[in-house]
């Protein structure tokens, strides 16, 4: 048994990805330990989830800081203090400063509700729907200095239907987020991730059925 990976989850909102991570750790599926849940919004639902599981919660309200840098310094100090080795952004609505990213180089994960590099930025599901793609999805990636840009660890694809609504598509993507984020953390915790430029190599990767996802289905 390897020692559990000490991690922090940074949140701002409803925290359903945080919940998926907590559940996966509690079920023994991910060898990790949540050393801190950091939230920049004092009334976020994510805080209730963390407290319900008796996790160490830190509310760091960005409005109390004069600059992004000073806010980030506080968060980084807190993470260092807790011995955090992996930072998981889970609906965290602040951009990280270069100093933060340097401090945890290749040890910050983010989840984005689109198949990057398509539809980075805000309202990714809306962007996908408006563009008219037939296949959408989500991405877990390492964080670098550009938004929604770093090396990709896992992606999951879902169909977009002709009569889809934003709500239905968002939910379909979110269900996959909850599967792949804990899985990506598990790969990291097991030391199975190697970086080769932009490409992430997964050690002992399971072979996939070599079959395309086609939507609409071929007649
Ligand atoms: C998710 O859609 C995630 O991909 C995006 O923000 C949303 C967070 O949702 N980065 P939740 O707070 O985990 O429910």
């Amino acid at each position: 048994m390897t020692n559990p990976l000490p991690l922090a989850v940074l949140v701002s909102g409803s925290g359903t990805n945080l919940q998926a991570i907590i559940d996966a750790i509690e079920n023994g599926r991910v060898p990790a330990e949540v050393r801190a849940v950091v939230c920049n919004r004092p009334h976020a639902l994510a805080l209730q989830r963390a407290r319900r599981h008796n996790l160490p919660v830190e509310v760091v309200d960005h409005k109390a800081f004069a600059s992004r840098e000073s806010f980030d310094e506080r968060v980084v100090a807190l993470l260092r203090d807790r011995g955090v080795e992996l930072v998981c952004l889970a609906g965290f609505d602040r951009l990280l400063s270069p100093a933060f990213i340097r401090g945890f180089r290749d040890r910050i994960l983010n989840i984005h509700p689109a198949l990057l590099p398509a539809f980075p930025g805000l309202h990714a599901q809306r962007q996908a729907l408006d563009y008219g793609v037939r296949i959408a999805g989500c991405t877990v990636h390492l964080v670098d200095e550009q938004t929604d840009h770093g090396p990709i660890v896992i992606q999951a694809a879902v169909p977009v239907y002709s009569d889809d609504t934003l709500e239905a598509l968002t939910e379909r993507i979110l269900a996959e987020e909850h599967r792949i984020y804990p899985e990506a953390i598990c790969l990291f915790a097991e030391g199975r991730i190697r970086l080769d430029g932009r490409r992430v190599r997964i050690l002992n990767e399971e072979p996939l059925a070599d079959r395309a996802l086609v939507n609409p289905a071929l007649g």
Side-chain angles (χ1 to χ4, degrees):
M1 260 301 276
T2 45
N3 288 334
L5 176 74
L7 58 80
V9 187
L10 274 53
V11 293
S12 304
S14 67
T16 64
N17 278 287
L18 167 68
Q19 188 69 57
I21 295 167
I22 295 171
D23 293 346
I25 293 174
E26 286 188 354
N27 298 335
R29 282 185 287 128
V30 176
E33 177 194 349
V34 180
R35 291 274 178 92
V37 174
V38 180
C39 183
N40 61 317
R41 299 196 179 268
H43 303 293
L45 181 58
L47 285 170
Q48 293 180 31
R49 297 180 189 274
R51 291 192 176 115
R52 209 179 299 140
H53 291 264
N54 294 318
L55 295 174
V57 163
E58 291 286 347
V59 178
V60 188
D61 188 344
H62 61 276
K63 291 194 219 80
F65 292 80
S67 66
R68 182 180 309 284
E69 286 69 27
S70 57
F71 169 78
D72 279 13
E73 267 169 33
R74 170 83 191 97
V75 175
V76 166
L78 198 153
L79 302 180
R80 296 241 179 272
D81 197 49
R82 301 280 169 82
V84 164
E85 287 175 23
L86 176 69
V87 179
C88 302
L89 309 181
F92 187 59
D93 63 8
R94 307 284 300 164
L95 293 177
L96 303 187
S97 59
F100 192 143
I101 295 166
R102 265 198 312 276
F104 283 90
R105 173 71 64 202
D106 300 331
R107 289 184 298 141
I108 309 173
L109 290 174
N110 181 43
I111 182 126
H112 182 73
L115 290 174
L116 291 172
F119 314 126
L122 294 175
H123 312 301
Q125 305 93 331
R126 172 91 265 163
Q127 293 185 55
L129 207 53
D130 289 350
Y131 194 93
V133 294
R134 292 280 168 186
I135 294 174
C138 48
T139 303
V140 178
H141 65 95
L142 289 163
V143 171
D144 67 9
E145 280 79 359
Q146 293 178 55
T147 306
D148 301 328
H149 172 269
I152 291 170
V153 180
I154 308 192
Q155 294 187 302
V158 301
V160 182
Y161 302 114
S162 302
D163 58 353
D164 244 334
T165 61
L166 179 60
E167 292 68 33
L169 177 61
T170 299
E171 201 159 308
R172 196 173 309 126
I173 292 172
L174 198 57
E176 295 307 315
E177 295 185 35
H178 298 161
R179 288 186 341 132
I180 67 170
Y181 211 172
E183 193 59 38
I185 294 169
C186 192
L187 291 173
F188 200 99
E190 292 175 347
R192 292 174 57 201
I193 291 180
R194 292 283 177 282
L195 263 181
D196 177 8
R198 270 204 62 84
R199 295 183 72 181
V200 171
R201 306 226 173 256
I202 309 288
L203 306 184
N204 305 318
E205 193 174 357
E206 292 287 332
L208 277 180
D210 211 349
R211 206 157 46 102
L213 167 62
V214 180
N215 180 40
L218 302 177

